[in-house]
């Protein structure tokens, strides 16, 4: 009859289906169907567990082991005077799985196999249901406590397995103190099998919790672990991969017991472990890995903050800091901790490489996190002990970065300008790199308006551009004509006035003419040329090569101007067209 009751219990709970029965089991189950008249006596209690599943059980059997259920059943009987009761239990540890284990314990006359993987759940269930010695000798609570007393003989992996099992009912195990007990045993094993004990003790000595530090130092001195249970690896980091399976709230408890939680963390080893743990968590999230409990970015925020505080108190290279930033950025890091990490990176930005700066963006507005680079540049420029050598080194790095991000279709013009203008002009000896980045950007964004292209070119310092770059700019069809003329004027200004037979200060830009549409270089004082001496003629010959190069650039612009000038007549016709027939000089274009 007990077998029939258990089978009915499983069927009603959808734990198994009729098709899964063996022929002999089916025969017994059909026998149960024929004995429906006896069911009220066998299953006179309906229990709704956490609103997830329904269990049909016997009141007498459960009341013999659970003080809480016995009290609830008696109360309901006095209220309703109904034999078949229906009650609900909320927040039960482990949910339906935990309640099924307890039910099997009760139906098996108080016997169940206890292991390191289920002892935490059984212990919490026993505490929740009040399964004490007052109801039955050797009740579930006593059995689990006896099993836990032997924790001192557990292996390292046994303790980790037991801690892992607490994941789905962590609140209950934390309240009962079971998690704390398991963590102490874990730290003892860690201290026995590694020389990390000294590092942890030194870290704990500066902690705000001296009791925690002294407790750990005392427990770590005990040598109770058999040699056979020690891990095989002799590396100081042998335990890193073993602990990454634990949930973040348990890792926080472990770090807190080591006295290195939050701002108290100054241990290099613990910081490396936290970064290793967080890196693994980020990879699992990106890979779509799912566990029993899904954790959000906010669940890892505390560990990420502790890692950043540890980084700030230990020596990390610039590349190492960028690696830390990549890890903690996906872990819900607080704004203050992120600013602290960015200040560290910004102060040594001259040691960075292009690969360091190419950090992926966390939104759909761009491939790279350009805002981060802008913030780092501001920190670097405003840092103390900033030398000209460091500034120019970063200037070359930023020019490479601009060329790398320019093809991004989602990159806004203001972002590109923000990066280009984040450094003063003194950081660049040459602006050719900035021009190359702008050229790539204009090619990748063909729909930019005339105003946007002009604004983008405003960051160029034509005086610091090479002649070849200015020549390329002048014939570039994507550059506005007025910008091209400014670049040519800047190159003319490099020629000493004593060596130049004419002035270009009156060059107004390309002028339009219905007959030719040519651009002309106009003399500001024609009469002065007739009074020049023979020496000036020699100077003219010496400058002939430079003038010819400019003439070639002007000719190459001729074909482009006729097309571009139609879109902005006002800019290109600020002065009336020159009367070429009246000019005493031959036309240059």
């Amino acid at each position: 009859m007990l077998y029939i009751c258990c089978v009915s219990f499983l069927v009603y709970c959808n734990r198994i289906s009729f098709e899964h029965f063996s022929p002999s089991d089916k025969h017994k189950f059909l026998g149960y169907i024929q004995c429906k008249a006896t069911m009220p006596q066998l299953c006179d209690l309906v229990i709704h567990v956490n609103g997830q599943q329904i269990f049909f059980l016997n009141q007498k059997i459960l009341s013999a082991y659970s003080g809480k259920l016995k009290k609830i059943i008696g109360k309901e009987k006095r209220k309703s005077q109904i034999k078949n009761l229906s009650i609900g239990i909320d927040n039960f540890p482990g949910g339906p799985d935990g309640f099924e284990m307890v039910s099997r314990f009760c139906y098996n006359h108080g016997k169940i196999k206890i292991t390191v993987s289920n002892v935490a759940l059984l212990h919490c269930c026993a505490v929740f249901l009040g399964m004490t010695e007052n109801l039955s000798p050797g009740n579930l609570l006593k059995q689990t406590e006896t099993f836990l007393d032997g924790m001192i003989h557990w292996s390292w992996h046994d303790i980790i397995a037991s801690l892992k099992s607490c994941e789905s009912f962590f609140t209950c195990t934390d309240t009962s103190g079971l998690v704390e007990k398991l963590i102490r045993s874990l730290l003892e094993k860690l201290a026995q099998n590694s020389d990390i004990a000294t590092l942890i003790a030194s870290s704990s000595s500066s902690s705000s919790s001296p009791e925690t530090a002294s407790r750990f130092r005392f427990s770590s001195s005990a040598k109770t672990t058999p040699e056979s249970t020690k891990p095989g690896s002799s590396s100081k980091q042998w335990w890193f991969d073993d602990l990454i399976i634990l949930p973040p709230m348990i890792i926080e408890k472990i770090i807190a017991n080591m006295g290195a939680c939050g701002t108290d963390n100054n241990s290099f080893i613990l910081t490396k472990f936290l970064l290793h743990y967080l890196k693994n968590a980020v990879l699992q999230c990106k890979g779509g890995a799912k566990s029993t409990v899904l954790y959000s970015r906010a669940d890892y925020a505390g560990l990420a903050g502790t890692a950043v505080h540890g980084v700030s108190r230990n020596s990390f290279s610039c590349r190492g800091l960028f690696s830390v930033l990549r890890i903690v950025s996906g872990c819900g890091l607080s704004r203050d901790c992120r600013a602290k990490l960015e200040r560290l990176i910004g102060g040594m930005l001259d040691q960075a490489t292009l690969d360091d700066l190419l950090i992926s963006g966390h939104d759909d507005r761009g491939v790279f996190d350009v805002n981060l680079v802008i913030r780092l540049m501001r920190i670097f420029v405003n840092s103390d002990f900033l030398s000209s050598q460091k500034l120019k080194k970063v200037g070359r790095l930023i020019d490479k970065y601009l060329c790398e991000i320019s093809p991004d279709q989602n990159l806004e013009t203001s972002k590109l300008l923000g990066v280009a203008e984040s450094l003063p002009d003194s950081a660049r000896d040459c602006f050719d790199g900035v021009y190359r980045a702008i050229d790539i950007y204009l090619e990748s964004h063909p729909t930019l308006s005339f105003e946007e292209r002009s604004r983008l070119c405003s960051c160029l310092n034509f005086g610091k551009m090479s002649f070849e770059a200015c020549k390329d700019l002048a014939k570039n069809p994507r550059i506005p004509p007025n910008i091209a003329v400014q670049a040519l004027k800047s190159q003319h200004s490099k020629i000493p006035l004593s060596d130049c037979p004419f002035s270009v200060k009156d060059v107004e830009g390309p002028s339009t003419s219905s007959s030719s549409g040519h651009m002309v270089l106009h003399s500001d004082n024609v009469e002065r040329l007739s009074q020049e001496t023979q020496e000036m003629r020699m100077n003219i010959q010496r400058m002939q090569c430079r003038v010819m190069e400019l003439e070639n650039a002007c000719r190459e612009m001729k074909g482009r101007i006729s097309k571009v000038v139609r879109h902005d007549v006002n800019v290109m016709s600020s002065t009336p067209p020159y009367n070429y027939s009246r000019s005493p000089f031959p036309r240059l274009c």
Side-chain angles (χ1 to χ4, degrees), residues 431-439 460 465 469 472-473 476 479:
F431 271 72
D432 288 5
V434 182
Y435 166 66
R436 283 193 295 269
I438 292 175
D439 187 29
L460 292 173
M465 289 179 62
D472 184 80
L473 183 149
N476 191 335
I479 300 294

Side-chain angles (χ1 to χ4, degrees), residues 15 37 50 86 106 127 135 155 159 196 246 267 276 287 486 518:
R15 308 300 289 184
N50 293 357
S86 178
C106 297
V127 173
L135 297 173
S155 68
I159 300 174
I196 193 176
L246 298 178
S267 171
H276 179 76
Q486 292 179 26
H518 293 173

Side-chain angles (χ1 to χ4, degrees), residues 184 187-188 191-192 196-223 257-259:
R184 290 183 190 177
L187 295 181
E188 288 178 358
Q192 293 164 17
I196 193 176
T198 304
L199 296 174
I200 298 175
S202 63
S203 171
S204 302
S205 62
S206 60
S207 170
S208 59
S209 179
E211 295 179 359
T212 302
S214 60
R215 180 178 67 243
F216 178 74
R217 286 196 297 270
F218 173 77
S219 62
S220 64
S221 62
K223 296 291 182 179
N257 274 268
M258 290 180 175

Side-chain angles (χ1 to χ4, degrees), residues 117-166:
S117 299
N118 66 15
V119 64
L121 178 57
L122 290 174
H123 179 78
C124 290
C125 293
V127 173
F128 186 90
L129 294 177
M131 303 176 74
T132 63
E133 294 290 292
N134 296 333
L135 297 173
S136 173
N139 209 343
L140 184 58
L141 182 60
K142 179 65 175 178
Q143 291 187 36
T144 56
E145 288 178 344
T146 301
F147 189 88
L148 290 171
D149 287 341
M151 189 185 303
I152 192 173
H153 302 296
W154 291 9
S155 68
W156 165 264
H157 294 289
D158 287 342
I159 300 174
I160 294 178
S162 188
L163 277 171
K164 175 65 176 177
S165 68
C166 300

Side-chain angles (χ1 to χ4, degrees), residues 389-457:
Q389 183 180 4
K390 291 182 178 181
L391 194 61
K392 291 183 179 181
K393 185 176 181 181
V394 173
R396 292 190 292 270
L397 173 64
I398 292 301
D399 288 353
K400 295 178 183 178
Y401 179 76
L402 287 170
C403 292
E404 194 70 27
I405 66 175
S406 294
D408 183 6
Q409 296 290 331
N410 295 321
L411 181 62
E412 300 175 359
T413 305
S414 58
K415 296 289 183 66
L416 188 68
L417 274 174
V419 177
E421 296 176 345
S422 58
L423 288 174
D425 282 2
S426 59
R428 295 182 176 94
D429 294 327
C430 182
F431 271 72
D432 288 5
V434 182
Y435 166 66
R436 283 193 295 269
I438 292 175
D439 187 29
I440 296 172
Y441 185 82
L442 293 178
E443 185 178 3
S444 305
H445 300 73
T447 59
L448 289 180
S449 64
F450 181 87
E451 290 76 11
E452 288 177 313
R453 287 183 284 129
S454 299
R455 185 163 65 94
L456 189 60
C457 294

